[in-house]
Amino acid sequence: MTVDDTGSGADGDGRVDPEPDPDSADSGEDPLALRLEGLILGAERRYTPFQAARSAGVSMELASRFWRAMGFADIGQAKALTEADVLALRRLAGLVEAGLLSEAMAVQVARSTGQTTARLAEWQIDSFLEGLTEPPEPGMTRTEVTYPIVELLLPELQEFLVYVWRRQLAASAGRVVQAGDDEEMVDRRLAVGFADLVGFTRLTRRMEEEELGELVEAFETTAADLVAARGGRLIKTLGDEVLYAADDAGTAAEIALLLVETMANDETMPELRVGIAFGTVTTRMGDVFGTTVNLASRLTSIAPRDAVLVDSALAEELVRTRDAPESEAVAAEEAAAAEKEGEVPPAYRFALQPMWQRPVRGLGVVEPWLLTRRGEDGKS
């Protein structure tokens, strides 16, 4: 919420009279919306932004930065804030004052939390809550059903959110402390993959909106489940495209092939193409950036339908880790030598086929490799 330096009504310690603001009653806001807000926030409106900042002991400038970062709209000097807003400001400011976070980092915390939870809240209201609040009996309105449903769900959803957040925080912290040095905590070597539905633009012109929404949701859900199950991390979804990352090349390659195979077995899904690159990646606020990410995106755009293209760095990493042979000729030689010695030949998971080198805009000449799965007989 953007604030300004005007406003009064606070007493000497910055607190205000908790009496209801008469402006709220005349604002034309829906009574149910106000009741739901009170239920969800667990507190009544007591403060203007100016009063909340003063009560929290935070400068108006810093309060304004925090509120904007959290994604809240400008409310001017309406009395719309609660004790929870004051406490949140006080906590963020306290982390800065204690030297645990810089002011810039505190703003980043506010922004990343706001952006993530805003999307979560929108999804829960649009998809989850709407379905649950369908009137169970003729003559009942959604309004009559919504409040008791939210009242029942709120504590359970809150506990579940905290549980998932702690689990994710533990997993992320574990990855960071395993980094080789401090630089790797920010700039790390990762495998980055893009998976893109083919012909999605054409689909948008001939499918009904509801059908299109169901297709996108099915694609995102399937991709998210496969990425998570195989040890990757879903970075973000873009409707017809997903971006994921993995700590090692073999995991990224397995995910890519599983995505293509799964989508190919679903007659309702368009064809898929995947591009993967391996290299240094900069991570910021849960997202990934850098040349490696750009290269993965470019490889996706030139990949054949229902196929996976990888860059030379990922191909070299698969060979180094013995997940793929240098070539089929080398694999054949190794198999023959093993048979001669009465040994088991190397079991490679993947096969790599070099493609024509080609110029890629902004990245120069790249050498893509076609990634395929090797069969039980050791051949691709």
Side-chain angles (χ1 to χ4, degrees):
M1 301 175 189
T2 305
V3 298
D4 55 43
D5 292 320
T6 63
S8 59
D11 56 22
D13 64 359
R15 293 192 173 275
V16 299
D17 186 350
E19 298 258 339
D21 184 1
D23 292 337
S24 296
D26 299 331
S27 65
E29 292 187 69
D30 186 284
L32 175 62
L34 292 174
R35 287 183 64 211
L36 281 173
E37 179 189 285
L39 172 65
I40 294 170
L41 297 180
E44 63 180 11
R45 297 181 176 187
R46 298 185 59 186
Y47 302 98
T48 67
F50 175 84
Q51 292 162 347
R54 186 173 178 181
S55 183
V58 177
S59 71
M60 294 301 301
E61 180 183 357
L62 185 57
S64 180
R65 290 186 67 196
F66 283 155
W67 276 316
R68 282 197 300 265
M70 285 186 279
F72 296 136
D74 180 4
I75 60 168
Q77 284 304 316
K79 188 180 289 186
L81 304 185
T82 72
E83 287 289 350
D85 297 297
V86 172
L87 181 58
L89 283 176
R90 195 176 291 151
R91 281 175 169 161
L92 279 174
L95 292 172
V96 175
E97 290 172 5
L100 295 173
L101 295 178
S102 67
E103 187 173 305
M105 288 177 64
V107 171
Q108 273 197 343
V109 168
R111 178 170 291 112
S112 61
T113 307
Q115 290 178 355
T116 302
T117 53
R119 185 179 180 190
L120 174 62
E122 289 288 342
W123 181 89
Q124 288 177 332
I125 294 299
D126 290 345
S127 303
F128 183 48
L129 195 54
E130 278 191 7
L132 284 179
T133 55
E134 286 292 337
E137 297 179 11
M140 292 188 69
T141 65
R142 187 183 296 273
T143 298
E144 293 173 313
V145 179
T146 299
Y147 190 93
I149 289 293
V150 172
E151 192 172 26
L152 290 171
L153 284 175
L154 187 61
E156 302 302 325
L157 290 177
Q158 177 175 309
E159 290 296 324
F160 185 70
L161 174 62
V162 173
Y163 156 74
V164 175
W165 170 72
R166 284 181 176 271
R167 268 289 178 187
Q168 292 287 5
L169 194 64
S172 182
R175 289 192 293 268
V176 169
V177 298
Q178 290 176 26
D181 52 48
D182 289 344
E183 289 186 3
E184 283 189 34
M185 292 185 182
V186 177
D187 297 318
R188 306 164 57 192
R189 283 178 65 77
L190 295 174
V192 178
F194 277 94
D196 177 59
L197 293 175
V198 178
F200 185 77
T201 302
R202 291 194 300 274
L203 285 176
T204 61
R205 291 196 288 264
R206 71 169 189 260
M207 292 182 72
E208 297 291 335
E209 289 185 6
E210 185 173 347
E211 291 179 299
L212 193 63
E214 290 174 354
L215 184 145
V216 168
E217 184 176 358
F219 169 58
E220 291 182 351
T221 299
T222 301
D225 288 348
L226 286 175
V227 170
R230 294 294 170 167
R233 297 187 298 285
L234 188 70
I235 304 299
K236 58 186 174 185
T237 59
L238 305 169
D240 62 330
E241 189 173 58
V242 298
L243 169 62
Y244 71 93
D247 293 327
D248 63 272
T251 297
E254 180 67 24
I255 289 171
L257 291 172
L258 277 174
L259 284 170
V260 169
E261 292 161 1
T262 302
M263 297 300 167
N265 289 329
D266 187 340
E267 295 180 356
T268 66
M269 282 291 171
E271 296 160 305
L272 191 72
R273 53 190 178 190
V274 184
I276 320 174
F278 184 77
T280 301
V281 174
T282 298
T283 58
R284 287 288 188 278
M285 293 177 63
D287 207 342
V288 291
F289 307 91
T291 302
T292 301
V293 181
N294 295 338
L295 179 54
S297 178
R298 297 290 189 273
L299 288 171
T300 305
S301 66
I302 62 175
R305 295 165 182 250
D306 284 338
V308 180
L309 285 188
V310 305
D311 73 332
S312 56
L314 191 128
E316 290 171 6
E317 186 67 9
L318 290 177
V319 171
R320 186 189 71 79
T321 57
R322 306 291 287 176
D323 281 312
E326 293 182 31
S327 66
E328 288 304 312
V330 170
E333 291 175 3
E334 291 176 337
E339 184 178 358
K340 185 176 180 181
E341 297 294 328
E343 298 175 352
V344 178
Y348 296 110
R349 290 194 288 165
F350 311 114
L352 293 163
Q353 178 184 340
M355 308 291 283
W356 291 104
Q357 291 185 356
R358 64 191 72 188
V360 174
R361 181 167 51 87
L363 297 171
V365 177
V366 300
E367 181 183 7
W369 294 71
L370 181 67
L371 175 75
T372 55
R373 192 185 297 282
R374 292 177 65 83
E376 295 182 0
D377 60 355
K379 298 179 181 180
S380 58

